[in-house]
Amino acid sequence: MQTNNENLKIAIQKSGRLSQASLNLLKNIGLNFEIFERSLFVKCENFPLEIILVRDDDIPEMVQDFVVDLGIVGDNVIIESSSEVVDLMSLDFGKCRFVIAVTNESRIKKLFDLNGKKIATSYIATLRSFFEINKIKAEIIPIKGAVEVAPSLSMADAIADFTSTGSTLRAHDMKEIYEIYKSEAKLISNPKTLKIKEKKNYIDKLKMRIEGVLYAKKNKYIMMNAPEKSVAQIVKILPGVDSPTVVPLNKKGMVAIHSVVPENIFWKVIENLKAVGASGILVSPIEKMIM
Ligand code: PRT
Ligand code: ZN
């Protein structure tokens, strides 16, 4: 398999935690395709793109080696593989943290207590380089899967693993003592692909669509009525796209204001708007926002 100038190829995880979110993202940016149960290659009907479904561990190397042009994969897999890829953008899913954890009754309390101890992990290269940088002399015990059982089987004194909800650690009476890094799904490419003008143009189009979808996901559209005299205060409160749209109303001294508010500060903004006289605040989701 070798990439060519006609179609872009993107590798995504076939089956696992990133699969559905990766497919949803591709659908949300308007790509039409149909996946059958055993599909490994899927052609988009309305964009020069082929989707290739593989194990996530293979994605960084496939992208690095120009077998595919793009990939969607977690930072963790990229770091562990030490493949040379270009990080195009964060995709806001697949979020997790690589942490060191110990059993609740362990005497290991902080990072440097790990000196001389055994640490189980599936991410050997990542942990080795972390220990080297931090000058920790510990023995790494490689384990594939179910790393959290290692301390109870006396195979290790601590583990280094990913966590998202924390429920796996809690279920095994373990607690985290140190966060090594945060990971999320990334769109990646390689320098060779990005030098091919036609491919780069299509990648830029995909990126613009993805940015539009991510922006929409993180923001809400709001409309409200307000006294004209409060407009200056309201403009200060609204962190909107540019400046809000202000429309005069039939009722004297009143205006309607439209704007966009980031999800993470939404309630604070609404409280502040109400405090300066905004009323009838309507909130709706944004489908896409193209900057
Ligand atoms: O078969 P293939 O090789 O493709 O898949 P895989 O089994 O290697 O990976 P998969 O599907 O489990 O995960 C794919 C990617 O999801 C990972 O590479 C991460 O980028 C991301 N991700 C996000 C996670 C988690 N959250 C996560 N919680 N990957 C693994 N976990 C595991 C963790 O290792 C631990 O066993 O979930 C458990 C802890 O979860 P919580 O929620 O109990 O804390
Ligand atoms: Zn994997």
Side-chain angles (χ1 to χ4, degrees), residues 13 55-57 77:
Q13 191 186 25
R55 285 199 60 185
D56 67 346
D57 311 69
V77 179

Short mmCIF file of all heavy atoms in Angstrom, two decimals, residues 13 55-57 77, ligand 2:
data_model
loop_
_atom_site.label_atom_id
_atom_site.label_comp_id
_atom_site.label_asym_id
_atom_site.label_seq_id
_atom_site.Cartn_x
_atom_site.Cartn_y
_atom_site.Cartn_z
N GLN A 13 -8.82 4.15 14.13
CA GLN A 13 -8.89 2.89 14.87
C GLN A 13 -10.10 2.08 14.42
O GLN A 13 -11.21 2.60 14.32
CB GLN A 13 -8.97 3.18 16.38
CG GLN A 13 -8.77 1.93 17.21
CD GLN A 13 -8.99 2.17 18.70
OE1 GLN A 13 -9.70 3.08 19.10
NE2 GLN A 13 -8.37 1.32 19.52
N ARG A 55 -5.49 -1.16 13.77
CA ARG A 55 -5.26 -1.06 15.22
C ARG A 55 -4.59 0.28 15.50
O ARG A 55 -3.75 0.73 14.72
CB ARG A 55 -4.33 -2.19 15.69
CG ARG A 55 -5.05 -3.51 15.75
CD ARG A 55 -4.29 -4.46 16.61
NE ARG A 55 -4.17 -3.92 17.98
CZ ARG A 55 -3.47 -4.49 18.93
NH1 ARG A 55 -2.80 -5.60 18.71
NH2 ARG A 55 -3.41 -3.96 20.15
N ASP A 56 -4.92 0.88 16.62
CA ASP A 56 -4.38 2.23 16.87
C ASP A 56 -2.86 2.25 16.93
O ASP A 56 -2.23 3.20 16.49
CB ASP A 56 -5.02 2.87 18.12
CG ASP A 56 -4.64 2.18 19.42
OD1 ASP A 56 -4.10 1.05 19.38
OD2 ASP A 56 -4.90 2.78 20.48
N ASP A 57 -2.25 1.14 17.40
CA ASP A 57 -0.79 1.10 17.54
C ASP A 57 -0.06 1.23 16.20
O ASP A 57 1.10 1.61 16.14
CB ASP A 57 -0.36 -0.23 18.18
CG ASP A 57 -1.17 -0.52 19.42
OD1 ASP A 57 -2.39 -0.78 19.29
OD2 ASP A 57 -0.61 -0.46 20.51
N VAL A 77 -0.17 6.98 22.05
CA VAL A 77 0.33 5.99 21.09
C VAL A 77 1.46 6.60 20.25
O VAL A 77 2.45 5.94 19.93
CB VAL A 77 -0.83 5.47 20.20
CG1 VAL A 77 -0.34 4.46 19.19
CG2 VAL A 77 -1.91 4.85 21.08
ZN ZN B 2 -3.66 -0.46 20.75
#
